[in-house]
Amino acid sequence: SLDHVGLTVQDLDRSIQFYCTVLNCVVQERSVIAGAELETLTGVPAAVIHTADLQLAHGGLLELLQYLGPTGPVLVQRRSDAGHSHIAFRVDDVDATRVRALSAGALDCSLPVTLNEPGSSWDRARVCYALDPDGRTIEFVERSAPSPPPIDQSA
């Protein structure tokens, strides 16, 4: 099973504010980590990281990490680039979430679309893409209730 998703961010407080506003999550824990085991784990000499664990409303944990040292440039990728990834968050109302994302500083946010994929778990899902404050692609997914099975009229 998936334990958590970790995102490296430029400004931890800004990202906490963004994700808590948009996704109604709660800060579970904050810490500062450094030392030999972190250097071994990350392969980054002299790494010092401020972290925050956010409990998502529908379950799951989002870990935000801000490297205080050493720092590097912001990673820029296009959605069509090999190696690009996105994170999808399940929401109750994709339209309301999009409005919150834009007001919280999303750098871009597509209009929501309703997918038409009969027979697929994606059929009738409402989705939109956004860019978080670090330019990372995130997706909001509102899944409709599954259609009830057809009633057998032959009985």
Side-chain angles (χ1 to χ4, degrees):
S1 67
L2 183 65
D3 185 79
H4 69 279
V5 172
L7 306 177
T8 300
V9 301
Q10 194 173 39
D11 180 328
L12 185 62
D13 291 326
R14 176 184 71 182
S15 292
I16 290 170
Q17 179 68 31
F18 177 82
Y19 282 103
C20 287
T21 297
V22 175
L23 298 173
N24 299 317
C25 46
V26 176
V27 177
Q28 186 177 33
E29 180 178 339
R30 287 186 72 155
S31 63
V32 177
I33 54 177
E37 56 278 334
L38 180 64
E39 291 178 27
T40 298
L41 177 65
T42 64
V44 178
V48 177
I49 305 173
H50 280 203
T51 70
D53 292 339
L54 308 181
Q55 185 66 49
L56 298 169
H58 288 282
L61 193 66
L62 181 62
E63 179 186 36
L64 303 177
L65 305 103
Q66 179 184 352
Y67 279 75
L68 298 182
T71 60
V74 175
L75 181 64
V76 177
Q77 293 183 347
R78 296 173 305 154
R79 291 182 181 129
S80 59
D81 290 345
H84 176 272
S85 59
H86 74 272
I87 301 162
F89 297 98
R90 184 170 291 193
V91 298
D92 293 327
D93 183 335
V94 77
D95 298 286
T97 303
R98 179 180 185 272
V99 169
R100 284 195 309 274
L102 288 169
S103 67
L107 301 177
D108 181 33
C109 202
S110 73
L111 291 172
V113 297
T114 301
L115 301 178
N116 182 17
E117 298 183 21
S120 164
S121 65
W122 289 97
D123 192 37
R124 298 184 299 137
R126 289 199 33 86
V127 299
C128 74
Y129 274 168
L131 295 178
D132 78 358
D134 291 298
R136 176 180 299 104
T137 300
I138 55 177
E139 180 179 13
F140 306 125
V141 180
E142 174 188 343
R143 293 192 184 265
S144 61
S147 300
I151 298 173
D152 184 2
Q153 302 283 339
S154 64

